[in-house]
Amino acid sequence: MHRVFGRVFVLLSLSLSTVLGQSDYTYTAYGGGANCQGQIWASTATGSNYGNVCDDSWDAFDGNAYCQSVSGGLAVEVTTGSAWGTNKIGFLAGDFDCVSGDTSLTSCTMSFSTDTTCSSTRIAGVVCSACSSASNYPRGTARLVGGATPCEGVVQVANEIANESIWGYMKGSAMTAAVATTVCKSLGFTGYSAFSASTISSFSSAVTSVTVYNSYSVTGATCGSTDTHLANCTLQRASENLNSATVASIACTGSSSCSYNSWGGSSYESGGVHDGTTWYAPNTGGLVDLFLPIFMGAFGAFILFILISFYVLNLKKQRKGCFAPKRRPVKKVAPAAISRPQPARAVPSSTVQAAPAVRKEAALAVQPTAPNSSGVGAASVVSSTPAYTANGNANEDVGDAGADDDVAVQ
């Protein structure tokens, strides 16, 4: 019986995970300037449940599963410790356990995180091969990484270095107002609200923690007032060691999401996240919005338990019916062929004589009789049967007397 309950428990656990919506959740990356890199974000299609992914047990298999789900190739680096910036959004998932065959995080085993040790410095991230290689990007393509919105961050540029297309950082000394305007216009914005020749504190982790980008791709740039893409500018690259203190940063304007910039916007250092479509306010997300799904999951698990119980009971009844001994059919016999016992005949009581019990043996006694004609006396034999009274009892006095008398021969 304990095996049955064990199986029921496993089914309930799987049912609860299904009801909670693991298969209904989608995973995207933010803070990396593209969907193929950044920190991992979990949410439902309706956006009612959302949050960060905790970096507990986060490894290359988990990163590969995510990268393949967004057609980003394989993971060239998995990041932990909120490498792409911190925020104040809750955690929704963690403890992924993907294997080599998993092509999506939804196919991996995981847990809806309730781990209080996951804080703003424990967000999981990844760099996919599609993002680390610049071979599929035009020269001068720019992206902003490490910001709370797509409008801000450290400047990365795809450039040709020694006949090889690579992604690297723009050096702070290359940043001017004209370059900042060109970068923002190339990303679809109208202009900039701020730029810096050095990384500000909220973006610095994106430079120091992501090791796959370890060089400058642009150390100098000259852009015109009408340029809308860095490919129209004159770009230089000198051989210099990367120094995170001298990396260019920008905050762009011209989009509704830009008003939520953590730098130069109205929600400065608010701790929220904007994915380009939706603003997620700080101190929200995570398990705070999971009360209804958890309740529905528990209710669904209870219903499943009832159904399984009925199924098990019904299965037992069927098994008992299958293994019950089969009865042979009764063969019908014609009434004439049936032999019936004859009733016993009654014997008249007058013909029945009860044989009285002989309480003791009677000895043969020879009684003297009258002489016959020859003058010789004949002896008579006395019966050994005792005399009985009217009530059927033996006359002991008579019998005893007959037995005790001496035999006389005359």
Side-chain angles (χ1 to χ4, degrees):
M1 196 65 182
H2 65 281
R3 294 182 179 178
V4 174
F5 282 109
R7 293 174 182 175
V8 170
F9 178 77
V10 172
L11 290 174
L12 289 177
S13 300
L14 294 176
S15 174
L16 183 59
S17 295
T18 301
V19 175
L20 281 174
Q22 160 65 343
S23 59
D24 297 329
Y25 275 70
T26 58
Y27 297 91
T28 57
Y30 71 94
N35 202 26
C36 51
Q37 70 176 13
Q39 297 182 147
I40 308 303
W41 180 264
S43 64
T44 59
T46 60
S48 58
N49 298 305
Y50 57 87
N52 291 302
V53 171
C54 184
D55 61 9
D56 281 343
S57 304
W58 185 253
D59 57 21
F61 289 111
D62 307 329
N64 285 336
Y66 172 78
C67 290
Q68 292 183 70
S69 68
V70 296
S71 301
L74 297 177
V76 296
E77 182 177 353
V78 290
T79 62
T80 58
S82 303
W84 304 87
T86 61
N87 56 66
K88 297 179 181 178
I89 304 298
F91 288 84
L92 184 62
D95 289 316
F96 283 89
D97 188 16
C98 302
V99 296
S100 60
D102 291 325
T103 58
S104 173
L105 290 178
T106 57
S107 63
C108 306
T109 58
M110 51 80 69
S111 66
F112 288 88
S113 179
T114 58
D115 189 355
T116 56
T117 62
C118 273
S119 61
S120 60
T121 59
R122 295 285 306 279
I123 306 174
V126 69
V127 178
C128 303
S129 57
C131 267
S132 62
S133 173
S135 58
N136 295 325
Y137 295 88
R139 178 179 178 270
T141 300
R143 61 192 180 199
L144 305 178
V145 301
T149 75
C151 304
E152 64 179 2
V154 176
V155 181
Q156 283 188 341
V157 182
N159 197 7
E160 293 183 3
I161 301 173
N163 297 322
E164 181 183 2
S165 296
I166 68 165
W167 281 98
Y169 295 105
M170 175 180 285
K171 189 176 179 180
S173 58
M175 180 58 61
T176 63
V179 172
T181 301
T182 303
V183 170
C184 289
K185 287 182 177 180
S186 70
L187 295 173
F189 305 114
T190 58
Y192 69 92
S193 60
F195 69 87
S196 172
S198 61
T199 54
I200 62 174
S201 58
S202 60
F203 303 151
S204 60
S205 61
V207 179
T208 58
S209 301
V210 183
T211 59
V212 68
Y213 305 114
N214 55 8
S215 64
Y216 292 116
S217 60
V218 174
T219 56
T222 302
C223 297
S225 59
T226 59
D227 290 335
T228 58
H229 196 280
L230 287 178
N232 306 129
C233 304
T234 302
L235 304 179
Q236 299 88 30
R237 183 205 180 254
S239 179
E240 294 184 31
N241 293 327
L242 179 64
N243 184 346
S244 60
T246 58
V247 176
S249 302
I250 299 178
C252 300
T253 59
S255 172
S256 59
S257 62
C258 297
S259 61
Y260 296 97
N261 286 347
S262 63
W263 176 47
S266 59
S267 300
Y268 176 64
E269 293 183 352
S270 63
V273 171
H274 202 295
D275 62 359
T277 304
T278 305
W279 167 251
Y280 300 95
N283 303 314
T284 62
L287 293 176
V288 175
D289 299 321
L290 278 178
F291 173 77
L292 181 60
I294 290 175
F295 173 78
M296 295 301 295
F299 180 75
F302 174 75
I303 297 299
L304 181 62
F305 175 77
I306 297 298
L307 294 176
I308 292 177
S309 299
F310 278 109
Y311 172 77
V312 171
L313 292 176
N314 187 41
L315 185 62
K316 286 185 176 181
K317 290 182 180 180
Q318 292 180 357
R319 288 181 176 178
K320 287 183 178 180
C322 292
F323 293 102
K326 296 182 179 180
R327 296 182 179 180
R328 295 183 179 179
V330 179
K331 184 178 181 181
K332 293 183 179 180
V333 182
I338 299 176
S339 59
R340 295 182 175 84
Q342 299 295 328
R345 295 181 180 180
V347 180
S349 59
S350 60
T351 61
V352 177
Q353 294 182 358
V358 179
R359 299 182 62 177
K360 58 182 178 178
E361 296 179 358
L364 292 177
V366 179
Q367 301 285 344
T369 59
N372 54 18
S373 58
S374 61
V376 178
S380 61
V381 178
V382 179
S383 173
S384 63
T385 304
Y388 290 84
T389 61
N391 58 8
N393 295 325
N395 190 343
E396 295 182 358
D397 295 335
V398 176
D400 293 342
D404 294 336
D405 291 339
D406 296 332
V407 178
V409 177
Q410 297 181 353

